[in-house]
Amino acid sequence: MTTLADPPVTPPAHREPTVRRRGRKSRAGRTNHAGKLTYAILTVAVLVSAFPFYWTIVAASRSNADLAQVPPSLLPGPNLLRNFEAVLEEADIGKALLNSFIVSGSITVGTVLCCTLAGFAFAKLRFRGRGALLAITVGTMMIPPQLGVIPLFMLIAELQWVNQLQAVILPGLVSAFGVFFMRQYLVQSLPDELIEAARVDGASTARIFWSIVVPVARPGMSVLGLLTFMAAWNDFFWPIVALSSSEPTVQVALRQLGGGYVHDQSVIMAGTLLGTLPVLLVFGLLGRQIVGGIMQGAVKG
């Protein structure tokens, strides 16, 4: 007698991987939202960071007597235009703004170009003494700049550059930080294969720099340019030594404000606001491009 056995049941092995794939898809497609604590911390950080600039606007729009009140008012007043007129009368702020644009723009262009060239050489070129030169360059960052003021002033005095803009521009055309920054950026972002391929095609070092290095280094050059412009615009120590009130930069011109036995803080704040607005304008125009360039370089790398 033949007994018909039940056909073997094949376990649905394919169901479990299907469930897992769905689970991974749902987890991957889920949007992560920050918690309330994160938003609270970010709000506090933004308020603390923006309050000094807001207080500058408030102080620049009020009188000196209003600022002496306890507690002072935290709302803008009606004296902003009047304080701006006082700034223009007490200091040649228009000439100072022009000089600051010339100095900051020249230093920014020179620093970005020279530091990118030096960074490319230290990152990708092979020459004798490369490590020692890089160590010396980075070591100069540990020397306080105040130690070089006297010999630098003696040098510009011998060149008869005192009270001339080139006395401020030329010492700042190259920075050790910029060289090290661009060297580190090119080490990580510029593949050696691109340079070797260009060498095989017969490209010279100058052609490699302009056609390959500069497009790759553009995000880093943008960041270095913004940092250099802000540092040159806000520099006070060396311009006050090398320049006088007849050829001032913005920071030197602000020193002339609020004179007298009692300093007029509202006029000083109005001048500070005028000196800050160009930097905010430059950052507002270039900030998004700089951040976008950094993210693009990170994705390509």
Side-chain angles (χ1 to χ4, degrees):
M1 180 177 181
T2 304
T3 304
L4 297 177
D6 295 334
V9 179
T10 304
H14 63 283
R15 293 183 180 179
E16 185 176 356
T18 303
V19 175
R20 291 180 181 177
R21 285 196 297 268
R22 291 179 180 177
R24 286 196 299 268
K25 183 177 180 180
S26 62
R27 287 195 297 268
R30 185 172 54 190
T31 303
N32 294 326
H33 295 280
K36 295 182 179 179
L37 180 61
T38 303
Y39 283 112
I41 294 175
L42 291 176
T43 302
V44 172
V46 170
L47 293 177
V48 172
S49 302
F51 181 77
F53 180 70
Y54 175 75
W55 173 248
T56 302
I57 298 176
V58 173
S61 61
R62 291 192 169 271
S63 63
N64 206 32
D66 294 336
L67 298 180
Q69 295 178 356
V70 180
S73 177
L74 296 179
L75 297 178
N79 298 330
L80 183 61
L81 296 179
R82 186 183 307 171
N83 291 332
F84 282 162
E85 293 177 357
V87 170
L88 297 177
E89 293 176 359
E90 296 183 16
D92 193 358
I93 198 69
K95 187 175 183 179
L97 287 172
L98 178 61
N99 289 341
S100 290
F101 272 115
I102 294 175
V103 171
S104 302
S106 302
I107 291 177
T108 300
V109 173
T111 299
V112 170
L113 179 60
C114 295
C115 292
T116 304
L117 281 167
F120 167 60
F122 282 124
K124 298 300 178 180
L125 300 183
R126 300 293 182 265
F127 55 91
R128 183 176 300 177
R130 184 183 63 169
L133 290 176
L134 181 61
I136 294 174
T137 303
V138 176
T140 58
M141 298 172 59
M142 295 181 286
I143 301 176
Q146 292 80 5
L147 295 180
V149 170
I150 294 178
L152 185 58
F153 185 81
M154 294 174 61
L155 177 60
I156 66 170
E158 289 291 334
L159 297 174
Q160 298 181 357
W161 286 354
V162 178
N163 198 27
Q164 297 183 21
L165 295 182
Q166 59 263 32
V168 182
I169 294 174
L170 292 181
L173 287 181
V174 181
S175 66
F177 168 77
V179 173
F180 180 74
F181 176 82
M182 293 307 303
R183 187 260 178 190
Q184 295 299 111
Y185 185 87
L186 291 175
V187 166
Q188 299 178 1
S189 302
L190 182 60
D192 295 335
E193 290 77 7
L194 288 178
I195 299 177
E196 294 174 358
R199 294 289 189 190
V200 171
D201 292 339
S204 62
T205 303
R207 180 64 181 273
I208 292 174
F209 177 78
W210 291 110
S211 301
I212 297 177
V213 177
V214 171
V216 173
R218 189 175 291 119
M221 295 169 65
S222 301
V223 175
L224 179 61
L226 179 62
L227 296 178
T228 304
F229 183 87
M230 294 177 62
W233 184 274
N234 295 324
D235 189 18
F236 174 77
F237 182 69
W238 177 241
I240 196 64
V241 174
L243 303 177
S244 65
S245 58
S246 61
E247 287 289 339
T249 59
V250 169
Q251 310 306 326
V252 176
L254 293 179
R255 186 178 62 92
Q256 306 173 14
L257 299 178
Y261 184 75
V262 178
H263 297 290
D264 194 342
Q265 298 295 332
S266 60
V267 176
I268 296 175
M269 288 298 182
T272 304
L273 182 61
L274 285 176
T276 306
L277 289 178
V279 179
L280 295 178
L281 180 62
V282 171
F283 184 80
L285 294 176
L286 301 179
R288 180 175 298 180
Q289 298 179 4
I290 291 172
V291 175
I294 295 174
M295 297 303 297
Q296 183 180 2
V299 171
K300 287 184 178 180

